[in-house]
């Protein structure tokens, strides 16, 4: 079991080369190797979405993704969302704050990443999503505090 | 959880790796949404994972129109199936099943081949493919192809006809012959609408001629037997009948024929009684809505 594999990928815009064990999960690469603790470990079996990150712009569960398979790809975590020099955070994060859509906050980084990928897809397809389409888009993210209503309202406000 | 990984980039490398690992314990990994959960629960063994995620051959990764239908590579993801306009217009039972599978994050990586080979009686895309009476194209390590109907593919809960030196390469869905209208949908019943493993599922793909007479029917049932079932006698019963004017006693008889294929269990998700009641009602709903 001494096999290790070299991967080249981009994390939050930064090109990175690492040698990792083949069985390493993407969530462990992000949290333990790179020290980016914004990505949360929840159920660790793909149910809760707390660990959601973007791989090539698409939301995936980092707990069910082999780290070696990000070779050649672009990974974005919640830490990689842009902050302007004036301190303005990403519009998705701002909308969640403005709508009171964050309570304990544990699900929020994953929720933000799912919403990011959904908003990008809607903008690309020139679609204004309905509340049902928004609910469908966040079906893979559990939130035990808010009851989702404020989250859905926050997403609606982005269009 | 520890294992070795080998990552073939083309079919030739894949077949070589299958061949050299015949005496070892190995598993295929594609989308990993089932495999990693399973491996996390197992004690570490001397396992090699043949990682299919970096395989780029079109025959494994493309959706293509062929002379007698469509071919879907086993590595095509649920997301790509759900977005395919060709599949949506011809086989919406499959695109609807793909849309209802798990969550966006899972659909992004989960593959149709994985959904088949994991051989769960609750497999969503697999159920649709049984209704479509698709064929499985299986490669062995010598490069020999064998084709078997998906209705013969499953041998029990999580078991299939695949031999250790074989891999599911692609799936072929037959053309919709002599159709006027296509009634094709996937009904999934769960305790919630998101991230749900079905309590009962029913996939139907019914073709009618210009007089609304049913010329072809494929109906598959999920989560009510050890494997996904093609309800053959219920399909045959529909042939020659008018889709739009089945009378209540015909609908009831159809529903009873569906139930002959159900041998559900009671588990954490639902009781056997509930599954049977729901299946009967879902079957009727095809013609009542």
């Amino acid at each position: 079991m001494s096999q290790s594999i070299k991967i080249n990928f981009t994390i939050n815009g930064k090109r990175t080369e690492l040698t990792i064990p083949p069985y390493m999960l993407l969530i462990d690469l992000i949290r333990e190797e790179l020290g980016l603790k914004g990505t949360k470990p929840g159920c660790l079996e793909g149910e809760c979405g707390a660990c959601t990150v973007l791989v090539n712009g698409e939301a995936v569960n980092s707990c069910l993704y082999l780290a070696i398979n990000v070779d050649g790809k672009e990974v974005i975590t919640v830490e990689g969302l842009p902050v302007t020099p004036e301190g303005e955070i990403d519009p998705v994060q701002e909308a969640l704050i403005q709508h009171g859509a964050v309570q304990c906050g544990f699900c929020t980084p994953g929720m933000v990443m799912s919403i990011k990928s959904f908003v990008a897809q809607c903008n690309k397809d020139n679609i204004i999503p309905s509340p049902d389409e928004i609910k469908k888009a966040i079906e893979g993210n559990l939130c035990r505090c808010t009851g989702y209503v404020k989250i859905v309202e926050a997403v609606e406000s982005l269009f | 959880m520890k294992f070795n990984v080998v990552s073939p980039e083309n079919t030739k490398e894949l077949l070589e790796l299958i061949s050299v690992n015949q005496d070892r314990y190995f598993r295929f990994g594609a989308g990993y949404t089932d495999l990693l959960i399973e491996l996390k629960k197992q004690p570490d063994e001397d396992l090699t994972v043949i990682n299919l995620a970096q395989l780029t051959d079109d025959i494994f990764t493309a959706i293509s129109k062929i002379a007698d239908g469509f071919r879907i590579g086993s590595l095509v993801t649920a997301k790509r199936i759900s977005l395919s306009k060709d599949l949506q217009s011809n086989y919406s039972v499959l695109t609807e099943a793909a849309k209802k599978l798990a969550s966006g994050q899972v659909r992004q990586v989960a593959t149709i081949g994985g959904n088949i080979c994991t051989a769960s009686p609750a497999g969503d895309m697999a159920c649709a493919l049984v209704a479509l009476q698709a064929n499985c194209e299986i490669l062995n390590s010598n490069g020999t192809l064998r084709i078997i109907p998906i209705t013969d593919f499953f041998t029990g809960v999580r078991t299939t006809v695949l031999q250790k030196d074989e891999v599911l390469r692609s799936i072929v869905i037959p053309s919709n012959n002599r159709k006027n209208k296509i009634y094709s949908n996937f009904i999934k019943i769960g305790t919630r609408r998101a991230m749900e493993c079905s309590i009962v599922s029913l996939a139907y793909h019914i073709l009618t001629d210009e007089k609304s007479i049913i010329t072809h029917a494929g109906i598959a049932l999920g989560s009510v037997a050890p494997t996904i079932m093609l309800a053959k006698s219920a399909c045959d019963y529909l042939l020659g009948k008018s889709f739009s004017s089945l009378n209540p006693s015909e609908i009831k008889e159809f529903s009873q024929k569906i139930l002959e294929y159900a041998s559900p269990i009671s588990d954490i998700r639902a009781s056997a009684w509930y599954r049977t009641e729901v299946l009967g009602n879902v079957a009727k709903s095809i013609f009542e809505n």
Side-chain angles (χ1 to χ4, degrees):
Chain A
M1 277 311 164
S2 58
Q3 189 194 19
S4 56
I5 292 175
K6 192 198 278 185
I7 56 168
N8 278 287
F9 64 107
T10 305
I11 178 81
N12 297 335
K14 192 174 147 207
R15 284 207 65 81
T16 307
E17 183 178 297
L18 280 175
T19 300
I20 56 169
Y23 47 84
M24 178 175 271
L25 299 173
L26 181 55
I27 189 170
D28 295 328
L29 173 74
I30 290 167
R31 288 179 56 86
E32 310 307 329
E33 292 290 310
L34 302 169
L36 298 167
K37 305 279 184 173
T39 301
K40 300 302 180 201
C43 67
L44 298 176
E45 52 184 35
E47 285 283 339
C48 78
C51 67
T52 303
V53 299
L54 304 185
V55 174
N56 286 353
E58 302 286 356
V60 302
N61 292 314
S62 62
C63 73
L64 292 184
Y65 202 102
L66 270 196
I68 57 164
N69 284 333
V70 300
D71 188 42
K73 297 187 175 129
E74 179 186 48
V75 181
I76 299 178
T77 68
V78 71
E79 292 91 342
L81 298 180
V83 180
T84 65
E86 294 76 36
E88 285 176 27
I89 56 173
D90 188 273
V92 171
Q93 293 168 305
E94 186 62 36
L96 289 172
I97 294 168
Q98 291 306 323
H99 286 80
V102 179
Q103 288 186 29
C104 89
F106 193 83
C107 75
T108 308
M111 194 69 82
V112 167
M113 301 318 279
S114 281
I115 296 168
K116 278 300 287 179
S117 106
F118 176 64
V119 169
Q121 190 63 48
C122 290
N123 288 339
K124 196 174 138 209
D125 297 341
N126 211 10
I127 292 170
I128 295 175
S130 66
D132 277 348
E133 286 168 326
I134 295 168
K135 286 179 197 166
K136 177 83 179 152
I138 57 169
E139 69 186 330
N141 293 81
L142 287 179
C143 171
R144 300 291 78 184
C145 303
T146 64
Y148 304 101
V149 173
K150 288 170 189 291
I151 297 174
V152 173
E153 287 170 356
V155 180
E156 280 187 281
S157 77
L158 292 164
F159 293 91
Chain B
M1 186 184 66
K2 288 185 177 177
F3 45 81
N4 286 311
V5 178
V6 287
S7 301
E9 291 179 9
N10 55 52
T11 306
K12 185 169 173 285
E13 287 177 14
L14 167 64
L15 298 184
E16 280 168 13
L17 286 166
I18 295 172
S19 190
V20 301
N21 281 290
Q22 281 306 297
D23 297 332
R24 300 195 188 98
Y25 172 43
F26 75 88
R27 299 289 298 271
F28 292 111
Y32 292 92
T33 53
D34 272 329
L35 183 70
L36 287 174
I37 293 171
E38 188 188 326
L39 296 181
K40 282 177 185 184
K41 290 174 186 159
Q42 279 182 5
D44 286 342
E45 291 178 71
D46 192 13
L47 167 67
T48 297
V49 170
I50 300 184
N51 175 31
L52 303 176
Q54 296 178 21
L55 192 62
T56 53
D57 289 359
D58 281 353
I59 195 80
F60 279 91
T61 61
I63 301 171
S64 46
K65 174 91 185 78
I66 56 173
D68 48 358
F70 277 85
R71 175 177 282 123
I72 304 174
S74 60
L75 297 177
V76 173
T77 61
K79 169 95 174 266
R80 279 181 58 209
I81 286 170
S82 72
L83 294 176
S84 164
K85 290 193 169 59
D86 280 337
L87 296 179
Q88 177 73 52
S89 57
N90 289 289
Y91 314 104
S92 51
V93 61
L94 180 60
T95 49
E96 289 305 307
K99 284 177 198 167
K100 287 171 182 161
L101 184 145
S103 65
Q105 292 97 317
V106 172
R107 289 191 294 273
Q108 177 62 27
V109 290
T111 65
I112 191 165
N115 200 245
I116 298 169
C117 293
T118 204
S120 161
D124 291 329
M125 290 188 287
C127 188
L129 291 169
V130 171
L132 291 167
Q133 294 164 60
N135 286 307
C136 297
E137 298 185 317
I138 299 166
L139 265 185
N140 80 0
S141 58
N142 299 323
T144 309
L145 191 70
R146 72 169 170 134
I147 299 167
I148 70 152
I150 193 163
T151 44
D152 296 339
F153 189 83
F154 306 111
T155 54
V157 178
R158 300 198 173 269
T159 60
T160 73
V161 298
L162 277 185
Q163 302 294 306
K164 195 176 179 185
D165 72 335
E166 291 181 321
V167 62
L168 178 63
R169 186 194 71 176
S170 40
I171 300 102
V172 169
I173 307 176
S175 301
N176 291 323
N177 289 328
R178 294 183 294 121
K179 46 107 201 221
N180 180 54
K181 217 168 164 193
I182 305 172
Y183 299 90
S184 184
N185 204 354
F186 182 74
I187 305 170
K188 178 170 176 171
I189 307 295
T191 48
R192 58 195 287 259
R193 268 180 289 174
M195 274 311 297
E196 182 60 7
C197 183
S198 64
I199 285 171
V200 166
S201 60
L202 186 149
Y204 66 91
H205 187 71
I206 298 171
L207 309 180
T208 59
D209 66 12
E210 60 285 349
K211 291 175 187 147
S212 185
I213 301 299
I214 295 170
T215 55
H216 170 90
I219 297 157
L221 318 176
S223 298
V224 292
T227 65
I228 296 162
M229 304 295 288
L230 179 72
K232 184 74 172 56
S233 69
C235 299
D236 293 344
Y237 178 76
L238 294 177
L239 297 178
K241 294 193 167 53
S242 168
F243 187 95
S244 48
S245 55
L246 249 63
N247 65 46
S249 70
E250 286 174 323
I251 293 173
K252 195 173 171 199
E253 195 171 346
F254 165 74
S255 163
Q256 280 162 352
K257 287 185 184 296
I258 290 281
L259 289 175
E260 287 168 17
Y261 292 86
S263 51
I265 55 165
S266 293
D267 66 8
I268 193 166
R269 288 180 285 127
S271 66
W273 173 85
Y274 182 78
R275 286 190 156 98
T276 307
E277 289 293 304
V278 168
L279 178 62
N281 291 336
V282 160
K284 287 178 191 164
S285 77
I286 302 173
F287 300 102
E288 287 174 342
N289 291 337

